[in-house]
Amino acid sequence: MELFQAKDHYILQQGERALWCSRRDGSLHLRPATDLLLAWNPICLGLVEGVIGKIQLHSDLPWWLILIRQKALVGKLPGDHEVCKVTKIAVLSLSEMEPQDLELELCKKHHFGINKPEKIIPSPDDSKFLLKTFTHIKSNVSAPNKKKVKESKEKEKLERRLLEELLKMFMDSESFYYSLTYDLTNSVQRQSAGERDPCPLWQKVDDRFFWNKYMIQDLTEIGTPDVDFWIIPIIQGFVQIEELVVNYNESSDDEKSSPETPPQESTCVDDIHPRFLVALVSRRSRHRAGMRYKRRGVDKNGNVANYVETEQLIHVHNHTLSFIQTRGSVPVFWSQVGYRYNPRPRLDRSEKDTVAYFCAHFEEQLKIYKKQVIINLVDQAGREKIIGDAYLKQVLLFNNSHLTYVSFDFHEHCRGMKFENVQTLTDAIYDIILDMKWCWVDQAGVICKQEGIFRVNCMDCLDRTNVVQAAIARVVMEQQLKKLGVMPPEQPLPVKCNRIYQIMWANNGDSISRQYAGTAALKGDFTRTGERKLAGVMKDGVNSANRYYLNRFKDAYRQAVIDLMQGIPVTEDLYSIFTKEKEHEALHKENQRSHQELISQLLQSYMKLLLPDNEKFHGGWALIDCDPSLIDATHRDVDVLLLLSNSAYYVAYYDDEVDKVNQYQRLSLEDLEKIEIGPEPTLFGKAKFSCMRLHYRYKEASGYFHTLRAVMRNPEEDGKDTLQCIAEMLQITKQAMGLDVPIIEKKLERKSSKPHEDIIGIRSQNQGSLAQGKKFLMSKFSSLNQKVKQTKSNRLLSLMKVGLEKALRRL
């Protein structure tokens, strides 16, 4: 459809239909296409695919019109229904502000031979119609009040930041889908129950998954049949459609190829072997929608966070078979304070105060799905236990015969990365899976219906949940294909079919994870390949760290945008967050660059020096050894470098007297007994720091340990987050060896380790890199000192200068 810009309106037009969007008050009106002749100097800006809706990012600022600028065809569902993914959007301010370059595809009718649309030239008599951008302040006051100007600038900066987040949400995550002819919000079973309903598509959708319902409200309230053309129900979630060939004679040469994408030859036309279509459709609820640390548990309406319905659809000839599962946060009132790494969960309401809302959640679920089988994957010990126990108590109080509760401690059963042990669960619930059945329809109608669903959850309803749902869905799909005669009774899925199937579920997990946590799913390598590999473990470490960073600032903006999309008032003080974010970014980028470059040089140098050729470097950290056995009479801490390889960790000691690392210990990961994290052991007063104690065996004897703490640059932090990251890296590296090491949070005792043995000295000839590091830092200091002299008022540069002076003194 064509997009026109006129003086007072943006006009969307296709054929005889036109939608006028006011640039004065944001109102939407249907008008005949011929009314374009009445518009003032309409200019065609290009082509768009459809309307998503309107959003107002601040009550004092104009509305924005969101349009589908570009789409990608995902595939076709049974009945030749095209499903599209929104890949790019165009955002237009419904004001007199001149639009930025929208990069629209040009209309051949109006732009024949023209590369870019021409711009409107405002009338010289019209003083209101000025060229304006985000950098211009909208004020006509001749002597503006400075306070008002400042407030206006702050509003526009915040609006710009929220607009950036809106664009990223639609274009980076690629998680919004639509179909003009198929109801993506409803499962095959729900559609078959209402297929005789003559209402237009948007009036038959499941309200839970109609993501742009609020944004398109102006159109839905018009109430005339002409509006149906303009309303496109959009879901957030995931859709992938593949055609598979059941060929047991195929070679497995493609196993050497990348697991990220399926081999092309597996989807080619094959007239000899049976073929079938498989589709995954995940639809995220718009109720209690949001980011992981901003939305947890249940709300006052019985809605839960991260609620997703996933439908696996099989189509063979004229038969369509569907199986659905759901995931959703534990429906009690609980939360995690999101500014720490892996924060401890807490209950926010008592058992008695939770009952009504727990009941409201499951009463709605049973009304929709009739029966529920809960698969609870949270740990039955440790920090997650409090949530699992609260869940079980509420189930017992609810006491409903249509609700079945199954607990499976995923981490306990799959310890040491043995995720194939999930089969223990699917074997145990095999009869429940068969009794639940699935929806089966053909051209004549419904053959059978799915009776109940599995509701799977872990803490985040992401990584563990996706692995288990994929395992359950695979059992169902194999039964379906055997019923249809596509698979032999005693055979598993062919290798290529199974590989593509695993990739689809891994993609599903990654997409849902990005929407809720901001990063791809952990354990995705197992879902993709059926094997847990060290590369996947290391990738998980990066994703965990990314999740920690993202929830600090980005989640606040993303949550605000999601709330605004759903018409929910934003309660968080975004101005305060905006200020803190800018301060944090400036300090973090400038003050850390030189320090990190120096630390990196040291780590790289000693990695080459200490690690033998047969060991792979996995990570390194600059820490402080605060073991009482090493502290001298002046109670000065000892700087160390902790290096981690695939089979050992190294503690390298730095000597202030000679300005170098002069000795180290190599400790096998096999001898690492346990990791304790807690407040530093002190005689008097409150502990200022958190410490990590690495207990190890020497010649089969215990009692040896290193007590380490992080080097903190922010006085408000105690270093616990850093230590937890390091502890997890040690743990997952040892798990990759088929072993495990517990991480225990406790108050550390004030005691000394047995004297450390096998401490190895380092020759001075290998210290050249330290001199290079000092020379590098000196050059940085000289450059910065000059900048400070030129800009004496710059507090940030002065702080950096002080930091570099301290670093130089230590070198």
Side-chain angles (χ1 to χ4, degrees):
M1 62 185 66
E2 299 160 315
L3 172 64
F4 293 88
Q5 177 188 352
K7 175 186 172 183
D8 297 325
H9 293 86
Y10 286 110
I11 303 167
L12 290 159
Q13 186 165 312
Q14 182 164 330
E16 300 300 317
R17 303 179 178 92
L19 176 65
W20 287 49
C21 311
S22 172
R23 298 176 64 183
R24 296 188 182 276
D25 59 13
S27 60
L28 305 178
H29 301 281
L30 301 179
R31 296 177 65 169
T34 53
D35 280 6
L36 185 65
L37 299 172
L38 306 177
W40 184 84
N41 190 23
I43 300 295
C44 181
L45 300 178
L47 300 175
V48 295
E49 300 293 340
V51 181
I52 294 175
K54 295 191 315 179
I55 190 170
Q56 190 177 29
L57 300 174
H58 194 284
S59 58
D60 295 333
L61 294 171
W63 286 84
W64 291 83
L65 180 67
I66 310 174
L67 305 173
I68 303 171
R69 174 159 66 96
Q70 195 175 92
K71 66 180 181 182
L73 179 65
V74 175
K76 293 184 179 182
L77 290 173
D80 211 31
H81 298 288
E82 290 187 349
V83 178
C84 297
K85 174 169 58 180
V86 178
T87 55
K88 292 183 180 179
I89 62 170
V91 184
L92 294 168
S93 176
L94 295 180
S95 66
E96 297 174 347
M97 186 171 68
E98 188 75 7
Q100 294 177 318
D101 185 7
L102 301 175
E103 299 180 356
L104 301 180
E105 180 184 346
L106 300 183
C107 167
K108 294 181 180 179
K109 183 167 63 174
H110 298 101
H111 297 280
F112 183 74
I114 301 176
N115 292 325
K116 287 192 174 182
E118 55 188 299
K119 295 192 174 183
I120 293 179
I121 301 174
S123 167
D125 299 327
D126 192 352
S127 59
K128 292 183 179 180
F129 197 74
L130 301 173
L131 292 176
K132 296 178 183 179
T133 65
F134 281 124
T135 58
H136 292 92
I137 300 170
K138 302 164 193 168
S139 175
N140 293 319
V141 183
S142 57
N145 182 285
K146 289 185 177 180
K147 185 177 179 181
K148 289 184 178 180
V149 170
K150 184 178 178 181
E151 289 177 355
S152 178
K153 284 184 176 179
E154 286 180 348
K155 287 178 185 177
E156 290 193 354
K157 285 180 181 178
L158 180 59
E159 183 186 44
R160 182 166 65 246
R161 183 65 182 85
L162 292 173
L163 190 62
E164 288 172 1
E165 202 60 46
L166 176 69
L167 292 168
K168 288 178 183 177
M169 187 173 173
F170 273 92
M171 297 197 287
D172 290 355
S173 65
E174 294 191 343
S175 59
F176 291 91
Y177 299 81
Y178 70 94
S179 173
L180 299 178
T181 58
Y182 187 86
D183 183 3
L184 287 175
T185 69
N186 274 307
S187 65
V188 170
Q189 184 160 314
R190 291 198 295 272
Q191 288 187 52
S192 62
E195 59 186 355
R196 295 182 181 180
D197 189 344
C199 293
L201 181 67
W202 69 270
Q203 291 183 1
K204 294 190 286 187
V205 296
D206 190 320
D207 182 76
R208 297 175 296 168
F209 309 119
F210 188 177
W211 252 76
N212 58 328
K213 179 181 179 179
Y214 176 77
M215 292 187 287
I216 208 79
Q217 190 173 358
D218 282 10
L219 291 179
T220 59
E221 291 177 349
I222 290 178
T224 62
D226 294 341
V227 80
D228 298 340
F229 172 81
W230 299 101
I231 300 175
I232 303 175
I234 291 175
I235 67 165
Q236 186 186 32
F238 174 76
V239 181
Q240 186 170 345
I241 304 168
E242 300 287 345
E243 187 176 60
L244 306 185
V245 180
V246 181
N247 181 4
Y248 288 96
N249 299 320
E250 60 195 352
S251 65
S252 58
D253 293 341
D254 57 88
E255 291 299 312
K256 300 177 183 178
S257 63
S258 169
E260 297 297 326
T261 54
Q264 292 183 353
E265 59 266 29
S266 64
T267 58
C268 63
V269 176
D270 192 321
D271 295 329
I272 302 173
H273 304 287
R275 297 190 287 113
F276 66 97
L277 180 141
V278 59
L280 271 185
V281 180
S282 283
R283 27 187 98 95
R284 174 184 295 278
S285 174
R286 65 186 184 88
H287 302 303
R288 196 156 177 72
M291 305 306 292
R292 177 166 64 156
Y293 289 118
K294 300 295 182 183
R295 293 291 181 270
R296 291 290 207 190
V298 72
D299 67 11
K300 294 180 180 180
N301 296 315
N303 301 308
V304 294
N306 199 23
Y307 183 89
V308 182
E309 180 188 82
T310 300
E311 179 177 21
Q312 179 175 277
L313 189 148
I314 306 293
H315 184 72
V316 182
H317 304 303
N318 294 321
H319 296 265
T320 301
L321 297 87
S322 157
F323 183 77
I324 57 175
Q325 303 177 74
T326 62
R327 67 178 76 188
S329 190
V330 174
V332 299
F333 290 97
W334 67 281
S335 62
Q336 285 177 284
V337 179
Y339 294 128
R340 301 192 64 81
Y341 181 78
N342 193 18
R344 184 177 294 277
R346 67 186 184 193
L347 293 174
D348 297 327
R349 291 201 186 186
S350 68
E351 180 182 297
K352 182 179 178 181
D353 291 340
T354 302
V355 170
Y357 308 103
F358 182 93
C359 292
H361 173 71
F362 275 107
E363 282 170 359
E364 185 196 31
Q365 294 296 297
L366 293 175
K367 182 180 178 181
I368 297 170
Y369 301 110
K370 311 306 178 188
K371 296 179 182 178
Q372 292 259 306
V373 178
I374 297 170
I375 308 291
N376 183 18
L377 305 175
V378 303
D379 295 349
Q380 294 172 23
R383 61 170 60 210
E384 295 183 3
K385 186 177 187 297
I386 186 174
I387 303 301
D389 289 349
Y391 198 178
L392 178 57
K393 288 178 183 177
Q394 291 295 328
V395 170
L396 294 174
L397 290 171
F398 188 56
N399 192 24
N400 191 301
S401 60
H402 296 296
L403 196 64
T404 303
Y405 181 88
V406 178
S407 181
F408 182 80
D409 190 328
F410 186 96
H411 287 147
E412 180 64 29
H413 285 85
C414 302
R415 187 178 299 276
M417 302 187 302
K418 298 185 182 297
F419 294 161
E420 62 273 16
N421 290 347
V422 169
Q423 188 173 345
T424 305
L425 172 63
T426 55
D427 289 345
I429 62 173
Y430 186 76
D431 291 339
I432 299 177
I433 296 173
L434 295 185
D435 290 343
M436 192 173 287
K437 304 176 186 175
W438 51 79
C439 177
W440 185 350
V441 299
D442 63 7
Q443 290 178 325
V446 179
I447 296 173
C448 75
K449 294 182 178 180
Q450 181 175 339
E451 298 176 359
I453 60 162
F454 288 103
R455 185 199 191 277
V456 187
N457 74 274
C458 50
M459 290 297 284
D460 300 328
C461 303
L462 296 176
D463 315 315
R464 290 172 275 180
T465 295
N466 202 66
V467 170
V468 169
Q469 284 195 335
I472 293 172
R474 175 177 169 160
V475 172
V476 172
M477 185 174 73
E478 288 183 347
Q479 290 297 318
Q480 291 172 333
L481 295 176
K482 288 171 183 177
K483 284 277 187 182
L484 293 168
V486 176
M487 274 177 58
E490 303 301 324
Q491 289 276 10
L493 272 175
V495 174
K496 288 187 179 180
C497 287
N498 185 55
R499 186 161 172 265
I500 297 171
Y501 176 78
Q502 289 173 329
I503 290 169
M504 291 177 70
W505 271 97
N507 292 341
N508 177 69
D510 283 350
S511 183
I512 293 172
S513 182
R514 287 191 188 97
Q515 294 158 27
Y516 189 51
T519 65
L522 309 183
K523 306 174 183 64
D525 58 320
F526 176 79
T527 314
R528 290 179 189 279
T529 65
E531 298 177 5
R532 189 67 168 140
K533 299 182 179 178
L534 185 58
V537 172
M538 304 310 293
K539 182 180 177 183
D540 282 359
V542 174
N543 284 339
S544 291
N546 284 345
R547 287 182 181 180
Y548 164 59
Y549 168 75
L550 288 169
N551 73 62
R552 288 188 69 88
F553 297 114
K554 180 181 175 182
D555 281 5
Y557 299 116
R558 179 64 60 92
Q559 186 63 57
V561 169
I562 292 171
D563 287 344
L564 291 167
M565 288 172 68
Q566 304 305 328
I568 300 170
V570 177
T571 56
E572 198 157 7
D573 184 0
L574 294 178
Y575 287 112
S576 173
I577 292 172
F578 186 76
T579 303
K580 288 179 181 178
E581 180 190 32
K582 294 303 178 185
E583 291 175 356
H584 172 84
E585 285 181 353
L587 287 169
H588 182 75
K589 288 179 181 178
E590 299 297 333
N591 200 25
Q592 291 288 98
R593 186 178 292 115
S594 297
H595 176 81
Q596 290 300 331
E597 288 176 355
L598 175 61
I599 293 297
S600 178
Q601 282 192 0
L602 290 173
L603 292 172
Q604 290 295 324
S605 299
Y606 285 105
M607 174 196 74
K608 295 174 183 176
L609 175 65
L610 303 181
L611 269 65
D613 294 338
N614 61 346
E615 290 186 22
K616 294 181 179 180
F617 180 66
H618 282 178
W621 303 270
L623 301 172
I624 292 173
D625 193 324
C626 46
D627 192 323
S629 65
L630 292 175
I631 298 177
D632 59 22
T634 60
H635 291 275
R636 292 179 61 205
D637 294 328
V638 179
D639 294 345
V640 300
L641 297 179
L642 179 64
L643 306 177
L644 175 63
S645 77
N646 59 314
S647 59
Y649 65 97
Y650 295 74
V651 181
Y653 300 96
Y654 180 80
D655 189 338
D656 282 330
E657 297 297 325
V658 293
D659 285 349
K660 67 181 182 180
V661 171
N662 63 354
Q663 57 184 7
Y664 74 95
Q665 280 181 277
R666 181 191 182 278
L667 300 161
S668 172
L669 283 171
E670 292 181 355
D671 294 328
L672 182 60
E673 292 182 304
K674 61 182 177 180
I675 303 172
E676 294 177 337
I677 296 177
E680 63 174 336
T682 57
L683 288 173
F684 307 104
K686 185 179 179 181
K688 294 181 180 179
F689 306 103
S690 287
C691 292
M692 172 177 67
R693 187 165 279 172
L694 305 178
H695 292 262
Y696 69 94
R697 293 187 303 272
Y698 178 71
K699 293 183 178 180
E700 303 302 321
S702 298
Y704 299 89
F705 56 80
H706 291 96
T707 306
L708 308 172
R709 67 174 176 86
V711 180
M712 301 313 303
R713 296 166 192 83
N714 186 342
E716 296 179 0
E717 297 181 358
D718 63 0
K720 185 177 179 181
D721 303 331
T722 301
L723 298 177
Q724 285 180 322
C725 288
I726 296 170
E728 288 190 7
M729 288 295 287
L730 287 162
Q731 183 185 56
I732 61 179
T733 305
K734 186 166 182 177
Q735 287 176 344
M737 300 168 64
L739 305 171
D740 201 3
V741 58
I743 299 174
I744 303 165
E745 290 192 29
K746 58 172 290 187
K747 184 177 181 180
L748 301 183
E749 301 175 31
R750 184 173 176 81
K751 62 180 182 179
S752 299
S753 168
K754 290 181 180 179
H756 298 290
E757 305 288 346
D758 290 346
I759 296 180
I760 304 169
I762 301 177
R763 295 178 184 176
S764 60
Q765 64 187 21
N766 294 307
Q767 300 297 320
S769 59
L770 290 177
Q772 293 175 5
K774 190 169 183 178
K775 183 179 179 182
F776 163 79
L777 203 56
M778 283 291 291
S779 66
K780 288 284 184 181
F781 178 78
S782 300
S783 174
L784 189 62
N785 196 33
Q786 187 64 29
K787 288 183 179 179
V788 172
K789 290 179 179 178
Q790 294 172 357
T791 56
K792 294 181 179 179
S793 62
N794 193 319
R795 180 173 173 269
L796 177 60
L797 289 176
S798 299
L799 287 172
M800 290 172 59
K801 178 185 174 183
V802 172
L804 285 175
E805 284 175 336
K806 290 181 179 178
L808 278 168
R809 283 199 296 271
R810 299 186 76 167
L811 274 178

